[in-house]
Amino acid sequence: MAMSIAQFTFFSRAASSSFLHRTNARFNQFTFSTPFSTAAATCTRKKNGRLPVMSALELGGVKIARDDVVRDDPTNNVPDSIFSKLGMQLHKRNQHPIGILKNAIYEYFDANYSNKFDKFDDLCPLVSVKQNFDDVLVPADHISRSYNDTYYVDSQTVLRCHTSAHQAELLRDGHTHFLVTGDVYRRDSIDSTHYPVFHQMEGFRVFSPKEWEASGLDGTSYAADDLKKCLEGLARHLFGAVEMRWIDAYFPFTNPSFELEIYFQEKWMEVLGCGVTEQEILRNNGQLDSVAWAFGLGLERLAMVLFDIPDIRLFWSNDERFTSQFTKGKMGIKFKPFSKFPPCYKDMSFWINESFTENNLCEVVRGVAGDLAEEVQLIDNFTNKKGMTSHCYRIAYRSMERSLTDEEINELQRKVREQVETKLNVELR
Ligand code: PHE
């Protein structure tokens, strides 16, 4: 295992799973202001006088109806495909790679911290803007708050985009050592490592002054050292040998901040963000003289490496040829692809407008093709003399489970073209 500390400029790196590494889409007409709110969202069904429409699901014992989440309202950008993922809770399935990994991480913490970490895996993914952003000091103009990047249920309620959304409430409830696992939601591009729903585990540990005073270090250095030791130990517990490196990073809620990257499929892949918690968060939530560390790790990213899973869509597959390969409590298993069906590529070109973003395009593609969309890639981009900009995107369609027919793909592409034109208001070429 090679560990090194490397310096990287934060914004020079490609969009990835981490909170601040989002596609650099600009604020535009899809953005609306989300005024500071103190109202905490709950999972209680809103009393809007309407009967539940179509379906409802239960999360942590609370019923959520479709129309609590998906609404025909300009402040709502949650499609049905996302609503359908809300109750899946892959992290609670003990025979699923995500659940197996969660349990393996629990094991590490239980063994090394004698069961001191409180575990939460059933907190509601519908949270307030305050919980998701304000409580963890995300600036008012931060890109992650945009309608282009986050799923808004209404102007004050979002589908959490990270498990850090629960830090403040758990601190206020008096927890000092905790792990929060849950599904998180982000509007994003389409490729083998990005999916609009994925799973994170948040870790948080508070230290009291007497813990660091004897060490001769200041609180921040003490917490930073402890954090790195803890995560390096976790990495060894999970991987044994794998190439990894620490990167200096930036998060609004930690300082200093770091990321851990792992070498996979010939690329460095970011798997977690972490750091020493900003004092303001501790102070605001009843921890006056303490310091703390926090980390947020992406379970899919780790599971892809650990179980050799080549495409993030597989985690959502109900195909027995996938699900039957994993066993409760067993980490060493390597996924054997049942067969590789050929991809089919379709290109489409259009003149973009001011409000065009790739995330909006990907939402349309996913809305039509669902998990048959494997990748959406910009392959050509130019501006003509009149100042009009053309984009050409290549869409790869591929099922993980079967061969697709030409007719089926042509029909998908026809619908994508139609909806791209009507929903995104672009001019097809
Ligand atoms: N919330 C961050 C993310 O989603 C990860 C993180 C958690 C970073 C805790 C620092 C501390 O990318």
Side-chain angles (χ1 to χ4, degrees):
M1 178 173 66
M3 279 273 203
S4 67
I5 312 269
Q7 303 270 342
F8 267 98
T9 318
F10 176 64
F11 279 110
S12 68
R13 298 172 59 239
S16 69
S17 83
S18 185
F19 182 56
L20 292 166
H21 297 188
R22 290 160 176 265
T23 27
N24 229 345
R26 58 189 181 276
F27 275 70
N28 54 35
Q29 74 181 62
F30 286 91
T31 310
F32 55 88
S33 64
T34 50
F36 190 89
S37 146
T38 49
T42 67
C43 277
T44 328
R45 223 187 125 232
K46 304 250 162 53
K47 294 196 177 55
N48 56 11
R50 275 185 285 161
L51 291 170
V53 179
M54 274 167 71
S55 55
L57 50 92
E58 253 191 66
L59 288 178
V62 189
K63 270 216 167 81
I64 301 179
R66 176 184 173 274
D67 69 348
D68 288 331
V69 183
V70 183
R71 293 198 205 115
D72 193 12
D73 175 308
T75 63
N76 183 294
N77 62 354
V78 185
D80 271 313
S81 54
I82 290 293
F83 174 71
S84 70
K85 297 287 195 294
L86 267 176
M88 304 282 268
Q89 298 196 296
L90 302 182
H91 58 286
K92 293 178 74 175
R93 301 186 190 172
N94 290 330
Q95 307 210 18
H96 187 283
I98 299 295
I100 296 168
L101 175 56
K102 179 194 81 172
N103 292 332
I105 301 174
Y106 279 0
E107 227 173 67
Y108 170 79
F109 277 92
D110 284 346
N112 288 280
Y113 299 91
S114 42
N115 298 313
K116 254 192 129 176
F117 278 78
D118 301 324
K119 305 183 195 75
F120 300 88
D121 68 0
D122 212 9
L123 300 177
C124 184
L126 279 173
V127 300
S128 65
V129 165
K130 177 179 181 292
Q131 288 171 295
N132 199 73
F133 297 121
D134 303 328
D135 281 353
V136 283
L137 314 179
V138 176
D141 60 353
H142 194 273
I143 186 75
S144 63
R145 294 191 186 233
S146 78
Y147 192 68
N148 187 57
D149 285 33
T150 290
Y151 289 106
Y152 280 83
V153 171
D154 58 41
S155 68
Q156 301 306 317
T157 315
V158 297
L159 291 174
R160 68 183 162 214
C161 71
H162 56 171
T163 41
S164 305
H166 300 288
Q167 285 185 5
E169 67 194 270
L170 292 172
L171 276 171
R172 280 199 299 277
D173 287 349
H175 298 282
T176 56
H177 296 67
F178 55 85
L179 300 171
V180 179
T181 314
D183 35 332
V184 299
Y185 297 78
R186 294 181 195 178
R187 299 182 90 235
D188 220 328
S189 46
I190 299 183
D191 65 33
S192 65
T193 58
H194 289 87
Y195 200 78
V197 191
F198 60 99
H199 296 78
Q200 281 191 329
M201 187 188 290
E202 191 88 1
F204 204 97
R205 177 177 186 185
V206 180
F207 299 89
S208 60
K210 64 174 183 321
E211 287 177 87
W212 74 80
E213 273 163 11
S215 74
L217 293 173
D218 62 279
T220 303
S221 313
Y222 183 85
D225 282 1
D226 188 83
L227 171 66
K228 284 191 171 169
K229 249 184 254 143
C230 167
L231 292 172
E232 286 172 13
L234 174 63
R236 272 191 303 276
H237 173 74
L238 296 175
F239 289 100
V242 71
E243 256 198 285
M244 45 180 104
R245 62 185 185 189
W246 284 109
I247 310 276
D248 285 341
Y250 164 79
F251 297 102
F253 23 91
T254 49
N255 186 18
S257 306
F258 315 99
E259 278 168 2
L260 187 62
E261 293 190 342
I262 287 185
Y263 200 67
F264 179 60
Q265 287 180 348
E266 286 153 35
K267 276 192 280 207
W268 285 103
M269 183 162 79
E270 177 201 321
V271 294
L272 69 82
C274 64
V276 178
T277 300
E278 285 287 357
Q279 276 299 312
E280 191 178 338
I281 298 177
L282 294 171
R283 255 187 280 120
N284 288 347
N285 297 289
Q287 285 289 346
L288 297 184
D289 310 309
S290 320
V291 298
W293 56 237
F295 67 80
L297 55 85
L299 293 176
E300 273 80 352
R301 294 286 182 93
L302 287 175
M304 286 178 83
V305 182
L306 286 162
F307 296 95
D308 249 345
I309 295 173
D311 192 298
I312 195 164
R313 292 172 294 165
L314 279 162
F315 291 109
W316 299 92
S317 173
N318 287 321
D319 192 315
E320 263 212 17
R321 290 169 296 177
F322 175 77
T323 54
S324 66
Q325 291 196 29
F326 306 98
T327 310
K328 181 179 172 186
K330 258 189 128 168
M331 284 292 291
I333 294 170
K334 297 292 178 198
F335 171 66
K336 287 182 219 61
F338 19 96
S339 68
K340 187 111 171 149
F341 299 97
C344 176
Y345 299 100
K346 295 281 176 192
D347 294 352
M348 67 184 301
S349 303
F350 44 83
W351 299 108
I352 62 163
N353 55 29
E354 271 285 279
S355 62
F356 176 80
T357 69
E358 194 171 307
N359 283 359
N360 289 338
L361 171 68
C362 288
E363 194 87 277
V364 169
V365 175
R366 286 198 203 274
V368 172
D371 286 2
L372 299 180
E374 176 166 285
E375 186 160 24
V376 173
Q377 214 186 347
L378 180 65
I379 56 169
D380 190 37
N381 178 3
F382 71 89
T383 302
N384 71 8
K385 285 195 197 110
K386 289 189 208 148
M388 292 160 72
T389 299
S390 165
H391 281 184
C392 179
Y393 283 93
R394 176 159 295 166
I395 306 177
Y397 295 99
R398 189 205 313 244
S399 165
M400 301 259 105
E401 288 149 15
R402 62 192 176 85
S403 283
L404 299 174
T405 64
D406 282 347
E407 282 147 3
E408 204 174 353
I409 291 164
N410 289 338
E411 182 56 14
L412 290 174
Q413 182 69 1
R414 191 191 61 74
K415 282 196 188 137
V416 167
R417 288 177 65 87
E418 191 181 283
Q419 293 197 17
V420 162
E421 199 169 25
T422 54
K423 293 191 175 166
L424 305 182
N425 263 317
V426 301
E427 194 186 321
L428 295 180
R429 300 182 55 217

